[in-house]
Amino acid sequence: MARPPQTGSRAIGRHDGRPHYRRNKTTTSRGGISARASYERYLALARDAASAGNTIEAENFYQHADHYFRVMRADQGE
């Protein structure tokens, strides 16, 4: 089976043989949201998951919150 020619975008292979084209990102890695807002969001999600008894999901959200806490600290140092 011949592959179709790639145009412009880098194709990412799929298991079904169809190419998946990557979009160009125009936003920042935080999507334009401040580090503080992201920190508070993930902290709230972690607390909700912990209160629901989902410790694995809570830990994941706490790790995300920790990342944005460090980003806030780095921004303050500049």
Side-chain angles (χ1 to χ4, degrees), residues 35-54:
R36 176 170 292 285
S38 296
Y39 167 73
E40 292 171 358
R41 176 178 164 236
Y42 282 113
L43 197 57
L45 289 169
R47 289 177 179 155
D48 289 345
S51 67
N54 192 339

Side-chain angles (χ1 to χ4, degrees), residues 7 10 16-17 23 26 31 35 52 55 63 67 76:
T7 58
R10 180 178 155 210
D16 62 3
R23 291 184 301 175
T26 57
T55 57
Q63 288 178 9
H67 166 74
Q76 289 175 355

Side-chain angles (χ1 to χ4, degrees), residues 11-22:
I12 301 171
R14 287 186 177 174
H15 293 290
D16 62 3
R18 296 179 306 151
H20 175 255
Y21 294 99
R22 203 178 270 180

Side-chain angles (χ1 to χ4, degrees), residues 27-72:
T27 59
T28 64
S29 62
R30 291 180 275 189
I33 300 172
S34 72
R36 176 170 292 285
S38 296
Y39 167 73
E40 292 171 358
R41 176 178 164 236
Y42 282 113
L43 197 57
L45 289 169
R47 289 177 179 155
D48 289 345
S51 67
N54 192 339
T55 57
I56 294 173
E57 189 172 82
E59 180 61 29
N60 179 33
F61 289 136
Y62 279 128
Q63 288 178 9
H64 280 78
D66 181 60
H67 166 74
Y68 285 108
F69 181 79
R70 292 171 190 258
V71 169
M72 287 187 321

